[in-house]
Amino acid sequence: MAASSVLSGAERRASRAARRPESSPMERAQRLTFWPFLTPALVLFVLFFVAPILFSGWLSFHRWDGLTRMQPRGFANYLSLARDPVFTTALKNTGLILLVGGVLVFVISFAITVVLREMADRAFVRYVLFFPVLVNPLVFGIMTGLLLRPSGIVNFLLAHIGVSDPPKWLGEQNLMMVIVAVTVWAGTGFYTTVLMSGVEQIPASYYEAAELDGAGAWQRFRHVTLPLSWDVVTVCAVFWTISTVKVFELVLVFGGTVGGTPPTSTYTSALYVYESAFSTDTARDFGIASAAALESLLLIVVVAVILRRVLRRESIQFS
């Protein structure tokens, strides 16, 4: 019985080896060079991404100002965040940029994409639209501050059309809406470029068939452009979700317009982490900062996963 079982096992292995196609010399060479090429990138990824996240997770259970000895706190940092109204405000502002800013970005980007698709020479316009992506957000903040200050160009133009008492654009009550608007302005060019790359893959015959059926511009967009570029829309939605957790420099610059330190009503999750770790006004606490960063990261991961689930569609192959 044992001999027959060993024999049957050997026969099965021989049968599998016979069915397996013989690899070419190029495939064998690729297998040999796989790990030597992958290892440097894998080491850098572990050192600069995985290790900091693990260290932050461990640090989030301690109190530490960066100088004295760490003090274990357990889950006290997380409980403190749940009771902190400033952190709650920061999450709300991040959600505001995510939802309101995201809707505006995609509406404007798709509108520009539809217009660009009808243009014969659209390459130059795409370069112009993409240019703001290359500019640091600090520049946008400074530029917007110059435009919207009380003696700026915007109020100067409003005065010439009869508006004697313009809104206080950079006041604390309006500052968050200005930040959302500038974020949309800075990101529209990038998402227009990405969406346009997906729309250009749609065969022109689809639009011609829709026009022959009497479809107008809105119907062509609804039934041709949007469904056939849905994969690109999903990727852009995930990109936007990830980028919202990193909105930092813009808020920091606008905070300078109201007295140096940004008002807590304009905090985002990234700015809250920064102020917790490096603030000169209050005691620094890297434990609280790490807990806030991990909570924000977890929130973004959950939103990104939900978006992938909700926006999932069957992939479409163009012949």
Side-chain angles (χ1 to χ4, degrees):
M1 179 67 69
S4 62
S5 63
V6 171
L7 182 61
S8 62
E11 290 176 347
R12 286 196 297 271
R13 288 193 294 272
S15 175
R16 286 197 297 269
R19 289 196 301 269
R20 187 184 303 122
E22 185 177 353
S23 60
S24 65
M26 181 177 292
E27 291 175 342
R28 290 196 295 270
Q30 288 176 344
R31 285 198 294 269
L32 290 175
T33 58
F34 176 78
W35 283 109
F37 277 96
L38 179 64
T39 300
L42 191 60
V43 170
L44 292 176
F45 178 79
V46 171
L47 285 178
F48 293 103
F49 288 92
V50 177
I53 291 175
L54 294 177
F55 179 71
S56 296
W58 179 73
L59 191 58
S60 67
F61 297 104
H62 296 75
R63 181 196 294 276
W64 187 44
D65 61 0
L67 298 174
T68 59
R69 170 177 267 180
M70 292 185 185
Q71 302 174 9
R73 295 198 68 196
F75 289 94
N77 287 334
Y78 292 95
L79 295 175
S80 176
L81 287 176
R83 296 189 295 264
D84 188 353
V86 178
F87 182 66
T88 304
T89 299
L91 289 182
K92 289 180 180 178
N93 289 338
T94 302
L96 182 68
I97 297 173
L98 171 63
L99 298 176
V100 177
V103 170
L104 291 175
V105 161
F106 281 93
V107 169
I108 296 172
S109 297
F110 259 124
I112 296 174
T113 299
V114 171
V115 173
L116 286 178
R117 186 188 167 276
E118 304 297 332
M119 295 177 63
D121 186 14
R122 53 181 176 266
F124 176 74
V125 180
R126 290 174 62 178
Y127 296 149
V128 173
L129 290 172
F130 189 78
F131 178 75
V133 181
L134 308 177
V135 179
N136 192 282
L138 290 172
V139 178
F140 281 102
I142 296 171
M143 184 185 303
T144 306
L146 293 174
L147 292 173
L148 298 180
R149 63 181 180 173
S151 59
I153 297 176
V154 173
N155 286 351
F156 176 79
L157 295 176
L158 290 176
H160 273 67
I161 61 174
V163 180
S164 58
D165 187 20
K168 294 179 176 59
W169 305 107
L170 301 179
E172 184 175 345
Q173 68 276 15
N174 298 320
L175 199 51
M176 199 59 219
M177 287 296 101
V178 173
I179 291 171
V180 172
V182 177
T183 305
V184 171
W185 174 28
T188 296
F190 172 78
Y191 291 100
T192 299
T193 304
V194 176
L195 291 173
M196 192 67 198
S197 67
V199 171
E200 286 180 338
Q201 304 302 315
I202 303 174
S205 58
Y206 287 35
Y207 291 98
E208 294 170 358
E211 290 179 4
L212 291 175
D213 289 339
W218 166 249
Q219 292 173 319
R220 291 197 300 272
F221 170 77
R222 179 183 175 187
H223 297 290
V224 179
T225 303
L226 185 58
L228 298 183
S229 59
W230 195 259
D231 288 344
V232 181
V233 174
T234 303
V235 172
C236 287
V238 174
F239 279 171
W240 176 260
T241 301
I242 295 172
S243 67
T244 55
V245 79
K246 299 186 293 183
V247 176
F248 167 72
E249 306 101 317
L250 190 62
V251 184
L252 195 63
V253 170
F254 278 121
T257 65
V258 291
T261 302
T264 56
S265 61
T266 63
Y267 273 26
T268 59
S269 56
L271 187 58
Y272 182 91
V273 172
Y274 171 80
E275 287 292 329
S276 299
F278 304 107
S279 175
T280 57
D281 299 330
T282 58
R284 295 180 298 177
D285 192 340
F286 288 98
I288 286 287
S290 298
L294 289 177
E295 283 199 16
S296 301
L297 176 63
L298 179 61
L299 178 64
I300 292 300
V301 169
V302 170
V303 173
V305 170
I306 292 175
L307 279 175
R308 291 289 296 175
R309 294 286 184 181
V310 172
L311 300 178
R312 178 182 295 175
R313 299 289 188 278
E314 293 185 4
S315 59
I316 299 175
Q317 300 291 334
F318 300 118
S319 57

